[in-house]
Amino acid sequence: MGRYVARRLLQMIPVFIGTTLLIFLMVHSLPGDPVRAMWGDKAADPAQIEQLRHSFGLDKPLWQQYVDYMKGLFQGDFGQTFGGRPVWDEVSEAFPVSVRLAVVALLIEIVLGIGLGAWAGLKAGKAADTGVLIFTLVVISIPVFVLGYFAQTIFANQLGWVTPNVQDSEDITQLVLPGFVLALLSMAYVARLTRTTFAENLRADYMRTAVAKGLPRRRVVGVHLLRNSLIPVVTYLGADFGTLFGGAVVTEGIFNVQGVGNLLYKALSQREGSTITGVVTIFVLVFLVLNLIIDLLYAVLDPRIRYA
């Protein structure tokens, strides 16, 4: 196990360098001058523009900018915003908010997605199965921003159960509605994936053996069926937890959640390359760590899996 973890950590290094390079090149290939855009429609002094470009290192060759960025990154320096504030300070304030929102969404996704999928899988071919498949198909077909405004109108404006916008991101109860909207699409995929794996494993030989041995149905379903069916679901959930951060851009905008998604949207609108690159670099690190944790969880779910 130790050698496997060490090998995976070494594999993360070229992946991390390659992804950050790609992100850096994509951000800096956007048309327009981000420094000139700070003045909007107003006239700007060319000398001031050149001075700011020099202070942010934008007058250097692109490869030199990337090398300087990576040097600072390994020293914990994510650069500075155009306002002169460290990018890490911006991220450190917004990141915990997005983590709480993503955790709420993931819990909803796990409980509802696996619950509905397991119920449909055990009732394969029956009315309950058909109802779950139709419901998840409808959810998948509706864009996230439509679901967000619909939920905001019904539960906040008409029923008055929650506030339309999040007033305090520290209050976990105010994140339930945006977390539910954020989780809906992934919950539908989890339900369909769980339903498929349950229906397939119900016909497996080990299931017939467990039933023939006279084991209680609760043990057959809860131990043998559930653990083997969750392997592909856990793979999806682990990758989706990182995806929830990126998907939060729309949800955080609708519900005024001051998280990483909101920060990324503002940085994109203002063409702040250092902020965009810093935020997406955090996303890359989250994905890499989560993929490693998922691989290690396989052995917990299925003892037959061993790591060479």
Side-chain angles (χ1 to χ4, degrees):
M1 176 70 77
R3 294 179 61 184
Y4 174 79
V5 174
R7 187 168 67 249
R8 286 297 307 274
L9 290 174
L10 290 174
Q11 290 173 353
M12 287 182 181
I13 297 176
V15 173
F16 176 74
I17 294 176
T19 51
T20 52
L21 176 60
L22 181 61
I23 294 164
F24 191 87
L25 293 175
M26 291 175 65
V27 169
H28 286 77
S29 65
L30 294 174
D33 187 349
V35 176
R36 177 63 184 84
M38 295 172 62
W39 275 265
D41 297 331
K42 299 179 181 179
D45 185 1
Q48 286 184 311
I49 293 179
E50 290 303 320
Q51 182 180 0
L52 285 174
R53 287 179 58 82
H54 178 73
S55 62
F56 288 108
L58 297 177
D59 56 345
K60 298 180 181 178
L62 192 58
W63 67 269
Q64 184 64 52
Q65 294 182 44
Y66 177 71
V67 171
D68 292 342
Y69 174 74
M70 292 302 292
K71 286 180 180 178
L73 191 63
F74 284 110
Q75 296 174 2
D77 182 11
F78 284 75
Q80 288 188 338
T81 65
F82 289 157
R85 193 179 185 200
V87 172
W88 177 250
D89 290 349
E90 297 275 353
V91 174
S92 61
E93 292 178 2
F95 192 74
V97 177
S98 291
V99 169
R100 284 191 291 270
L101 180 61
V103 169
V104 171
L106 188 67
L107 291 176
I108 295 173
E109 186 179 332
I110 291 173
V111 174
L112 294 182
I114 294 180
L116 287 174
W119 183 44
L122 293 173
K123 304 289 185 181
K126 298 182 180 179
D129 180 30
T130 304
V132 171
L133 290 176
I134 293 175
F135 169 71
T136 54
L137 183 61
V138 170
V139 172
I140 292 171
S141 303
I142 302 176
V144 175
F145 65 89
V146 175
L147 291 172
Y149 283 116
F150 180 78
Q152 193 178 52
T153 301
I154 297 298
F155 297 107
N157 297 331
Q158 294 185 3
L159 297 179
W161 291 355
V162 294
T163 56
N165 294 319
V166 175
Q167 306 296 328
D168 182 11
S169 298
E170 301 287 338
D171 187 359
I172 201 73
T173 60
Q174 295 189 28
L175 297 178
V176 172
L177 184 59
F180 178 74
V181 172
L182 183 61
L184 267 179
L185 181 61
S186 298
M187 181 271 295
Y189 284 117
V190 169
R192 296 176 75 90
L193 181 60
T194 305
R195 179 261 176 197
T196 302
T197 55
F198 260 68
E200 289 178 352
N201 287 326
L202 275 173
R203 300 188 295 268
D205 292 338
Y206 70 87
M207 287 296 296
R208 287 193 289 266
T209 302
V211 173
K213 289 169 64 176
L215 295 177
R217 179 174 174 79
R218 179 178 300 178
R219 180 173 178 81
V220 172
V221 174
V223 178
H224 297 277
L225 180 59
L226 183 62
R227 288 181 64 177
N228 286 281
S229 299
L230 283 183
I231 292 177
V233 178
V234 167
T235 303
Y236 178 83
L237 287 173
D240 189 61
F241 185 74
T243 306
L244 291 174
F245 286 97
V249 174
V250 176
T251 308
E252 290 182 2
I254 294 174
F255 293 95
N256 194 35
V257 181
Q258 301 301 313
V260 175
N262 210 318
L263 175 64
L264 184 59
Y265 174 77
K266 292 178 181 177
L268 285 168
S269 61
Q270 297 172 4
R271 286 289 313 278
E272 287 196 1
S274 57
T275 305
I276 298 170
T277 309
V279 171
V280 180
T281 299
I282 297 295
F283 290 167
V284 172
L285 290 173
V286 170
F287 271 106
L288 291 175
V289 173
L290 285 176
N291 282 329
L292 176 60
I293 295 174
I294 292 166
D295 289 344
L296 297 180
L297 281 177
Y298 288 158
V300 176
L301 292 172
D302 191 347
R304 295 172 297 178
I305 297 176
R306 292 292 181 266
Y307 299 105

